[in-house]
Short mmCIF file of all heavy atoms in Angstrom, two decimals:
data_model
loop_
_atom_site.label_atom_id
_atom_site.label_comp_id
_atom_site.label_asym_id
_atom_site.label_seq_id
_atom_site.Cartn_x
_atom_site.Cartn_y
_atom_site.Cartn_z
N LEU E 323 62.80 -13.81 10.84
CA LEU E 323 63.20 -12.66 11.44
C LEU E 323 63.60 -12.88 12.84
O LEU E 323 62.89 -13.75 13.48
CB LEU E 323 62.15 -11.55 11.39
CG LEU E 323 61.63 -11.06 10.00
CD1 LEU E 323 60.53 -10.04 10.16
CD2 LEU E 323 62.78 -10.45 9.15
N PRO E 324 64.54 -12.22 13.36
CA PRO E 324 64.81 -12.31 14.87
C PRO E 324 63.61 -12.06 15.66
O PRO E 324 62.86 -11.08 15.36
CB PRO E 324 65.93 -11.39 15.13
CG PRO E 324 66.60 -11.19 13.79
CD PRO E 324 65.45 -11.24 12.78
N GLY E 325 63.29 -12.89 16.68
CA GLY E 325 62.20 -12.65 17.56
C GLY E 325 61.69 -13.86 18.17
O GLY E 325 62.33 -14.97 17.96
N GLY E 326 60.69 -13.79 19.02
CA GLY E 326 60.17 -14.97 19.58
C GLY E 326 59.02 -14.65 20.56
O GLY E 326 58.42 -13.52 20.50
N GLY E 327 58.64 -15.55 21.40
CA GLY E 327 57.39 -15.48 22.25
C GLY E 327 57.59 -14.44 23.36
O GLY E 327 58.64 -14.21 23.85
N LEU E 328 56.43 -13.89 23.69
CA LEU E 328 56.34 -12.89 24.81
C LEU E 328 56.32 -13.67 26.15
O LEU E 328 55.70 -14.63 26.26
CB LEU E 328 55.11 -11.99 24.71
CG LEU E 328 55.16 -10.74 23.92
CD1 LEU E 328 55.40 -10.99 22.45
CD2 LEU E 328 53.83 -10.06 24.04
N ALA E 329 57.04 -13.09 27.13
CA ALA E 329 56.83 -13.61 28.46
C ALA E 329 55.58 -13.00 29.10
O ALA E 329 55.02 -12.02 28.46
CB ALA E 329 58.05 -13.17 29.39
N HIS E 330 55.03 -13.64 30.03
CA HIS E 330 53.81 -13.16 30.73
C HIS E 330 54.08 -11.69 31.24
O HIS E 330 55.07 -11.48 31.85
CB HIS E 330 53.43 -14.04 31.80
CG HIS E 330 52.08 -13.67 32.38
ND1 HIS E 330 50.86 -14.00 31.70
CD2 HIS E 330 51.60 -13.08 33.54
CE1 HIS E 330 49.75 -13.55 32.39
NE2 HIS E 330 50.18 -13.02 33.51
N ALA E 331 53.12 -10.83 30.89
CA ALA E 331 53.11 -9.43 31.26
C ALA E 331 54.14 -8.64 30.52
O ALA E 331 54.29 -7.35 30.77
CB ALA E 331 53.34 -9.28 32.76
N GLU E 332 54.76 -9.10 29.49
CA GLU E 332 55.79 -8.37 28.70
C GLU E 332 55.14 -7.62 27.56
O GLU E 332 54.37 -8.18 26.79
CB GLU E 332 56.88 -9.33 28.16
CG GLU E 332 58.01 -8.67 27.57
CD GLU E 332 59.13 -9.69 27.11
OE1 GLU E 332 58.75 -10.76 26.79
OE2 GLU E 332 60.27 -9.37 27.24
N HIS E 333 55.59 -6.38 27.41
CA HIS E 333 55.10 -5.54 26.33
C HIS E 333 55.77 -6.16 25.03
O HIS E 333 56.95 -6.46 24.97
CB HIS E 333 55.38 -4.13 26.46
CG HIS E 333 54.77 -3.24 25.50
ND1 HIS E 333 55.10 -3.12 24.13
CD2 HIS E 333 53.77 -2.21 25.68
CE1 HIS E 333 54.27 -2.25 23.53
NE2 HIS E 333 53.51 -1.73 24.48
N PRO E 334 55.13 -6.24 23.86
CA PRO E 334 55.72 -6.77 22.66
C PRO E 334 56.97 -5.94 22.16
O PRO E 334 57.89 -6.50 21.69
CB PRO E 334 54.53 -6.71 21.64
CG PRO E 334 53.55 -5.91 22.24
CD PRO E 334 53.63 -6.08 23.67
N ALA E 335 56.96 -4.61 22.41
CA ALA E 335 58.16 -3.86 22.01
C ALA E 335 59.29 -4.21 22.86
O ALA E 335 60.44 -4.21 22.33
CB ALA E 335 57.81 -2.37 22.13
N ASP E 336 59.18 -4.45 24.20
CA ASP E 336 60.20 -4.82 25.05
C ASP E 336 60.64 -6.24 24.68
O ASP E 336 61.86 -6.62 24.67
CB ASP E 336 59.65 -4.90 26.47
CG ASP E 336 59.37 -3.57 26.95
OD1 ASP E 336 59.97 -2.52 26.49
OD2 ASP E 336 58.47 -3.47 27.90
N ALA E 337 59.67 -7.17 24.24
CA ALA E 337 60.06 -8.56 23.86
C ALA E 337 60.89 -8.51 22.64
O ALA E 337 61.96 -9.34 22.59
CB ALA E 337 58.82 -9.34 23.58
N VAL E 338 60.67 -7.73 21.61
CA VAL E 338 61.47 -7.76 20.40
C VAL E 338 62.94 -7.23 20.69
O VAL E 338 63.90 -7.86 20.20
CB VAL E 338 60.88 -6.97 19.29
CG1 VAL E 338 60.96 -5.49 19.45
CG2 VAL E 338 61.51 -7.37 17.92
N VAL E 339 63.05 -6.28 21.64
CA VAL E 339 64.40 -5.80 21.98
C VAL E 339 65.13 -6.89 22.74
O VAL E 339 66.30 -7.22 22.48
CB VAL E 339 64.22 -4.55 22.88
CG1 VAL E 339 65.63 -4.19 23.50
CG2 VAL E 339 63.70 -3.34 22.08
N ARG E 340 64.40 -7.58 23.67
CA ARG E 340 65.08 -8.74 24.41
C ARG E 340 65.50 -9.81 23.45
O ARG E 340 66.60 -10.33 23.55
CB ARG E 340 64.10 -9.21 25.48
CG ARG E 340 64.57 -10.49 26.22
CD ARG E 340 63.58 -10.96 27.22
NE ARG E 340 62.26 -11.27 26.62
CZ ARG E 340 61.95 -12.32 25.87
NH1 ARG E 340 62.87 -13.24 25.65
NH2 ARG E 340 60.69 -12.50 25.42
N GLU E 341 64.56 -10.26 22.58
CA GLU E 341 64.86 -11.27 21.74
C GLU E 341 65.99 -11.05 20.72
O GLU E 341 66.85 -11.92 20.46
CB GLU E 341 63.53 -11.72 20.95
CG GLU E 341 62.48 -12.44 21.76
CD GLU E 341 62.81 -13.82 21.96
OE1 GLU E 341 63.67 -14.43 21.25
OE2 GLU E 341 62.13 -14.52 22.74
N PHE E 342 66.02 -9.80 20.22
CA PHE E 342 67.10 -9.36 19.34
C PHE E 342 68.43 -9.56 20.05
O PHE E 342 69.49 -10.09 19.49
CB PHE E 342 66.90 -8.04 18.92
CG PHE E 342 66.85 -7.90 17.40
CD1 PHE E 342 65.56 -7.89 16.73
CD2 PHE E 342 68.04 -7.70 16.59
CE1 PHE E 342 65.56 -7.84 15.32
CE2 PHE E 342 68.01 -7.55 15.25
CZ PHE E 342 66.77 -7.59 14.61
N ALA E 343 68.51 -9.09 21.27
CA ALA E 343 69.80 -9.21 22.03
C ALA E 343 70.15 -10.70 22.32
O ALA E 343 71.34 -11.01 22.25
CB ALA E 343 69.62 -8.46 23.41
#
Side-chain angles (χ1 to χ4, degrees):
L323 299 179
L328 272 63
H330 188 73
E332 187 176 32
H333 193 290
D336 295 331
V338 75
V339 172
R340 173 183 55 78
E341 287 281 346
F342 237 90

